[in-house]
């Protein structure tokens, strides 16, 4: 059992078809795994932050996340905050 850190950086919409500022193209996130059981997640995409928590056992996994989607007509014009709960049971 160990701990690890994963980091991802992505450039989205490389052709700039959405016409958003530089920061709007960046997406990045990090996931810190503690003793192969607890996941702590944080990120940034489409101009908004995100965060999450996961707990994994031999038979199940629970994940919780908070993130935002842009639902307006322009960059950062109308933020929709969303919550995600997920439970998996492994046979």
């Amino acid at each position: 059992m160990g701990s690890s850190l994963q980091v991802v950086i992505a450039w989205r919409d490389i052709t700039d078809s959405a016409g958003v500022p530089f920061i709007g193209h960046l997406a990045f996130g990090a996931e810190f795994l503690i003793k192969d059981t607890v996941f702590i997640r944080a990120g940034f995409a489409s101009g908004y932050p995100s965060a999450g928590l996961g707990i994994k056992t031999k038979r199940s996994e629970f994940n919780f996340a908070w993130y935002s989607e842009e639902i307006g007509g322009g960059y950062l014009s109308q933020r929709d905050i969303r919550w995600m709960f997920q439970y998996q049971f492994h046979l």
Side-chain angles (χ1 to χ4, degrees), residues 13-81:
D13 187 22
I14 197 165
T15 62
D16 193 25
S17 63
V20 300
F22 173 81
I23 193 76
H25 292 281
L26 289 177
F28 55 89
E31 177 183 77
F32 184 57
L33 171 60
I34 304 167
K35 295 190 178 187
D36 296 327
T37 303
V38 177
F39 300 84
I40 299 171
R41 302 174 179 112
F44 181 86
S46 301
Y48 300 114
S50 62
L53 176 69
I55 299 172
K56 184 177 181 181
T57 67
K58 284 184 176 183
R59 305 282 302 180
S60 65
E61 186 171 339
F62 171 79
N63 290 291
F64 164 77
W66 164 79
Y67 67 101
S68 299
E69 291 286 340
E70 177 59 52
I71 60 172
Y75 180 68
L76 300 179
S77 64
Q78 189 173 358
R79 179 182 186 182
D80 184 39
I81 297 174

